[in-house]
Amino acid sequence: MVYVRKEARACPNVFKASSQSITKYNTTTSKQQISYLAQFNDSKIETPKALLPDPKWVSYIVNKFRQNREVIFSPNRPKQTQKVKIPKTNEISKWKKIVFHDSEKLPTLSLVLQLDQLGLCSILTLIGDCLCEEEEVFTDHVGCWIYALLCCLDDLIDSSMQASLRSIMKHLATIRASLKSPSDPLASETSLIISIISIHFKQGDV
């Protein structure tokens, strides 16, 4: 998923992972499942050093993310003339299908920009709830959706949205901590989202 965001100069029309195959992971099958997922406490997750990203990589990822946001929020950004039909934010089952199951429904810029800030928060909260309650699993496709939604989310977020972002971050940190090798695609995919939430949205370390 890292390779998707490496070109920020022209804010991509689609937020899509380019080469990694979709990898699924369900914490219900992990021997290292951590009970706080349901409790949302603030205990830190013990992650092997080999699975932690290099600080230079983190800096690069966050800077590229911010460049994407600058283009999106720029008053000079070309207007999206083509609108894509999307569900209402309260149509939960439809959004679950799009984000978790419909790999053909990519988070295009024209689609995501139709959501207002309340809509962005609602979908991110839905993703966090589904992951942490283990109704759904994290995949590369889900990661692309999280990234795209975060790109359009205001910096000023309320306490409820902060809690949702922290729950996503901790869930992904739990997945990362249980991986066997740093070469696992999920190592970079989880670290990317964790780094953005932790640093750009200032939600602390996990």
Side-chain angles (χ1 to χ4, degrees):
M1 194 163 62
V2 168
Y3 306 107
V4 186
R5 293 99 185 171
K6 65 181 179 181
E7 293 300 334
R9 59 180 179 271
C11 192
N13 289 325
V14 60
F15 298 91
K16 182 180 183 300
S18 58
S19 60
Q20 305 285 4
S21 60
I22 292 178
T23 307
K24 296 185 178 182
Y25 182 93
N26 190 336
T27 52
T28 57
T29 62
S30 172
K31 294 180 181 179
Q32 298 182 14
Q33 182 179 2
I34 298 176
S35 61
Y36 76 77
L37 286 177
Q39 301 172 5
F40 302 111
N41 65 43
D42 292 326
S43 59
K44 280 199 173 185
I45 299 167
E46 294 294 330
T47 304
K49 287 185 178 181
L51 293 170
L52 294 174
D54 183 271
K56 290 183 179 180
W57 181 89
V58 172
S59 178
Y60 173 82
I61 288 300
V62 174
N63 286 336
K64 288 298 182 181
F65 172 78
R66 288 170 173 168
Q67 288 176 28
N68 271 336
R69 286 174 60 84
E70 286 177 6
V71 176
I72 290 172
F73 286 102
S74 170
N76 299 321
R77 176 180 57 79
K79 292 184 178 180
Q80 297 292 315
T81 56
Q82 182 181 4
K83 285 196 173 184
V84 180
K85 186 176 181 181
I86 61 172
K88 296 179 180 178
T89 53
N90 62 354
E91 294 181 298
I92 304 300
S93 60
K94 291 183 179 180
W95 276 108
K96 280 185 179 181
K97 180 180 179 181
I98 288 173
V99 175
F100 291 101
H101 303 289
D102 189 354
S103 60
E104 299 300 318
K105 195 73 170 181
L106 303 173
T108 59
L109 194 58
S110 58
L111 190 158
V112 177
L113 287 177
Q114 290 185 61
L115 295 167
D116 58 16
Q117 289 300 309
L118 183 59
L120 293 169
C121 291
S122 296
I123 306 306
L124 282 166
T125 298
L126 172 65
I127 293 172
D129 289 347
C130 287
L131 290 176
C132 292
E133 292 172 11
E134 299 176 347
E135 293 181 13
E136 304 289 351
V137 296
F138 179 77
T139 66
D140 180 70
H141 181 70
V142 176
C144 288
W145 268 99
I146 295 173
Y147 183 91
L149 294 168
L150 291 177
C151 274
C152 300
L153 185 66
D154 279 348
D155 287 331
L156 297 176
I157 53 178
D158 61 20
S159 57
S160 176
M161 191 68 250
Q162 291 176 26
S164 292
L165 292 186
R166 285 197 297 272
S167 70
I168 291 173
M169 182 171 64
K170 286 189 172 185
H171 181 80
L172 298 187
T174 303
I175 294 175
R176 183 178 65 182
S178 69
L179 299 177
K180 303 300 182 184
S181 169
S183 62
D184 190 310
L186 282 178
S188 60
E189 293 170 10
T190 53
S191 289
L192 186 147
I193 302 299
I194 291 168
S195 298
I196 290 169
I197 294 176
S198 174
I199 297 174
H200 182 83
F201 291 98
K202 302 177 182 178
Q203 294 307 304
D205 197 4
V206 288

